Amino acid sequence: MQTVNSIKELRAIIHAQRLAGKRIGFVPTMGNLHEGHITLVREGQKHADFMVSSVFVNPTQFVAGEDFDKYPRTLKEDQEKLAAVGCNLLFAPPVDEMYPGDQASWASVHVTKITERHCGAARPGHFDGVATVVTKLFNIVKPDVALFGKKDFQQLAVIRRMSTALCFGIDIIGIDTVREANGLAMSSRNGYLTADEKNRGAEMYRSLCAARDAIKGGNTNFAQLSSEANDKLEAAGFIPEYFSVCRADTLEPAQPGDRNLVILAAARMGKARLIDNIDFTL
Ligand code: PAF
C-alpha cells in the first residue's frame, strides 16, 4: 500500500485509477485505527475496486481545551493495519497541506439544524470543522462511495445531509458499531481509559439496550427512561452529558408514535468523553 502526503500526488494516482475504470471507495479517519475502522475498509471493498483511506487529525474539529495535542498519532501502526486489510492508498497529509497559511479562516461548511443539539451543543463549532474537512477530503479524493461508522451517529447524519444538500453525488454508507466483548463501543479515545474504566464503561451500552427494550415494550415516557439511564451511568462512575431518545432522521426529540428511533448518549469517564447510540424501528 502506498502512502502519499500531498494532494497533487494523491490526485494523480486516483485519476489514473479512474481512467482504468475503477470505482473509488473512501474511508476518512483521524488514525489510531481499531477494528471499527478496518471494518469500514473491508465493507468498502464490497462497493469499490480501489480503496483510499486518510489519516488526518483535523485541528478545526477540536474545540478549545480538547485533546488535539495529545490525540494519539500512530501512523506506522495505521499503515500496517491498512496494508493488511488490502487498502490500496493512504493519504496522510500534514496540517499545512490541508490548511496552508491562513486558509482555515477563508471558508467553512456549516450544516444547519441537525448540528444544533447533542454533540453540537456540547462542542460548539465541532461539526463545522468536520463538515469542512470532509468536504475538502471529498473534493480531493472524489470518491464514488464513502464509509463512516454509526458510532458517530450525529456525524454520519450531518455528512449525509451535507452530501445531499450540496449534491456531492457520493454514496454515503453507515456501518454498524464494532464493540469490545463487554459491549463498549470501539473508539480511538478508549486508550484514555484504565482497565477498570473500560469495564465500567460497558454500562453505557447496557443502558442503551435497556432503554430500547423498554420502548419496544411500549414505554413512551422518554424523559423518565433518560433520567433512569443517567442515574445508572452515574452509579457506574460516568459524568453523564446527554441520553436522549430521538427521531432517527432529524435527531429531534422523539414523540410517542414515532417509529424510527435512535437513542444518543454521551458521558465522561475518567479522561475520556464517550459517545454511543442504538437505532431501531418500532
Ligand atoms: O470520525 C472521524 O474520525 C473524523 O471526524 C473524520 C470524519 C475523519 C473527519 O475528520
Side-chain angles (χ1 to χ4, degrees):
M1 182 194 66
Q2 198 178 349
T3 300
V4 296
N5 310 113
S6 84
I7 295 172
K8 195 172 169 197
E9 218 180 333
L10 184 93
R11 280 192 165 137
I13 295 168
I14 294 178
H15 181 65
Q17 293 298 327
R18 195 176 292 291
L19 282 182
K22 301 278 173 66
R23 196 173 144 80
I24 311 297
F26 182 40
V27 175
T29 82
M30 297 209 300
N32 195 25
L33 303 183
H34 51 69
E35 193 50 35
H37 298 109
I38 300 309
T39 302
L40 298 181
V41 177
R42 230 180 259 123
E43 287 296 319
Q45 288 163 336
K46 297 177 187 165
H47 301 269
D49 314 298
F50 189 83
M51 283 306 298
V52 182
S53 187
S54 61
V55 168
F56 178 63
V57 183
N58 170 38
T60 66
Q61 70 187 75
F62 288 79
V63 174
E66 288 189 344
D67 56 344
F68 174 70
D69 288 334
K70 66 175 183 8
Y71 197 86
R73 279 129 172 120
T74 55
L75 187 59
K76 193 167 170 299
E77 291 85 342
D78 294 343
Q79 284 169 317
E80 286 165 6
K81 288 176 189 170
L82 289 168
V85 71
C87 183
N88 302 96
L89 180 63
L90 171 62
F91 181 45
V95 171
D96 62 2
E97 181 71 3
M98 290 297 284
Y99 299 108
D102 65 349
Q103 277 190 25
S105 66
W106 289 11
S108 167
V109 180
H110 177 67
V111 179
T112 58
K113 283 193 227 142
I114 205 156
T115 53
E116 283 167 12
R117 298 172 193 271
H118 319 298
C119 287
R123 307 177 69 192
H126 165 69
F127 285 121
D128 291 353
V130 170
T132 304
V133 81
V134 171
T135 299
K136 286 169 77 88
L137 289 166
F138 280 177
N139 283 336
I140 294 164
V141 175
K142 294 195 167 52
D144 298 286
V145 55
L147 297 98
F148 296 85
K150 279 199 197 173
K151 192 197 70 104
D152 297 294
F153 197 92
Q154 190 174 13
Q155 168 174 281
L156 174 60
V158 168
I159 291 167
R160 278 193 199 287
R161 282 210 159 191
M162 171 180 86
S163 301
T164 302
L166 302 182
C167 307
F168 284 167
I170 298 167
D171 290 341
I172 307 293
I173 300 182
I175 299 295
D176 285 340
T177 303
V178 178
R179 299 183 179 280
E180 304 287 353
N182 69 1
L184 179 69
M186 286 197 186
S187 162
S188 300
R189 288 186 166 101
N190 286 357
Y192 297 153
L193 299 172
T194 64
D196 174 53
E197 286 167 346
K198 279 186 187 159
N199 281 335
R200 286 185 286 120
E203 181 56 40
M204 186 176 270
Y205 186 54
R206 273 197 297 274
S207 296
L208 287 165
C209 291
R212 176 206 52 198
D213 293 346
I215 294 169
K216 284 194 155 194
N219 189 332
T220 53
N221 193 339
F222 302 143
Q224 191 192 344
L225 287 171
S226 298
S227 148
E228 283 168 11
N230 280 332
D231 289 347
K232 279 193 262 176
L233 290 174
E234 251 171 27
F238 276 103
I239 301 172
E241 202 176 272
Y242 60 79
F243 190 100
S244 315
V245 185
C246 303
R247 294 182 167 156
D249 53 351
T250 62
L251 308 191
E252 281 168 7
Q255 303 299 327
D258 288 341
R259 298 178 65 82
N260 295 319
L261 301 175
V262 61
I263 311 175
L264 302 173
R268 289 188 182 276
M269 167 70 84
K271 294 193 177 111
R273 176 180 180 275
L274 302 182
I275 59 171
D276 201 352
N277 64 80
I278 195 161
D279 63 320
F280 55 100
T281 305
L282 292 178

